[in-house]
Amino acid sequence: MESSSAASGGSTRREATRQKLYEAAVTLIAEQGFSATTVDEIAERAGVAKGTVYYNFASKSVLFEELLRHGVGLLTASLREAAERTAREGGTKVDALDAMIRAGLVFIDRYPAFTQLYVAELWRTNRAWQSTLMVVRQQAVAVVEDVLRAGVAGGEFSDEIDVPLTAAALVGMVLVAALDWKSFQPERSLDDVHAALSRLLQGRVSGCR
């Protein structure tokens, strides 16, 4: 049997390999589309043998499905950590939402290709991983819903607020605004984009102070 240290080392190496495959797949698929991307190309871009891809994932579709899980999982963790950090610091629920907006922008700034793929896949209905995508999407939106519900319960937000729709709108706002930023306004800083969305969150788009 393997020692615990050996097992840990094997697990770490496997995670490193899977991370290489995720990065190779997301880059290639963003460049040329899912159908046009081959397992051979993913292996070559990741610097591993083709058999390594199949050792870690049963197929290209499984790899992409796990990529979606992995990426949205990272986004969800970032949003949750931002909300929890704000709570520890004694911030309001609006502060928490604002911190989550920034966390989302930071994530998208770091993983623009993944975000582009994720948004594109949300609009497709004929993919084998559609049900998985809906599950992981809801996990991310649920983090925002929790903050909104806590704000309603604490009297910070109106009890007439439509929590599910508002949460989805906030997540969508960050995704679309960030993609527009990266694609058409790359000269703007993350702080600048965050400030604009923060004003929108707080209902000050009219220019009132």
Side-chain angles (χ1 to χ4, degrees), residues 82-93 96:
E84 292 175 348
R85 183 177 65 252
T86 303
R88 290 194 300 270
E89 295 172 352
T92 66
K93 298 309 177 187

Side-chain angles (χ1 to χ4, degrees), residues 136-208:
V136 295
R137 170 203 168 274
Q138 184 53 38
Q139 289 172 352
V141 172
V143 179
V144 184
E145 289 181 358
D146 288 344
V147 172
L148 290 170
R149 288 195 177 93
V152 171
E156 190 172 341
F157 304 138
S158 167
D159 58 8
E160 295 182 356
I161 190 173
D162 186 322
V163 170
L165 187 58
T166 301
L170 286 171
V171 173
M173 175 186 74
V174 174
L175 289 173
V176 174
L179 287 177
D180 185 88
W181 162 42
K182 302 302 288 184
S183 299
F184 304 112
Q185 305 179 65
E187 73 282 357
R188 300 184 69 166
S189 69
L190 190 150
D191 288 340
D192 186 29
V193 176
H194 174 223
L197 295 186
S198 181
R199 286 191 291 272
L200 184 60
L201 169 68
Q202 298 178 46
R204 293 188 290 169
V205 292
S206 65
C208 299

Side-chain angles (χ1 to χ4, degrees), residues 62-121:
V62 171
L63 166 57
F64 191 62
E65 184 172 356
E66 288 303 311
L67 169 62
L68 291 171
R69 288 183 182 274
H70 176 72
V72 180
L74 290 176
L75 173 59
T76 301
S78 296
L79 297 177
R80 182 177 295 111
E81 197 282 328
E84 292 175 348
R85 183 177 65 252
T86 303
R88 290 194 300 270
E89 295 172 352
T92 66
K93 298 309 177 187
V94 170
D95 292 332
L97 293 174
D98 188 54
M100 294 165 87
I101 286 174
R102 185 174 185 85
L105 292 174
V106 169
F107 175 88
I108 294 165
D109 188 42
R110 184 175 181 183
Y111 304 108
F114 171 79
T115 307
Q116 182 181 359
L117 283 178
Y118 171 63
V119 172
E121 290 301 318

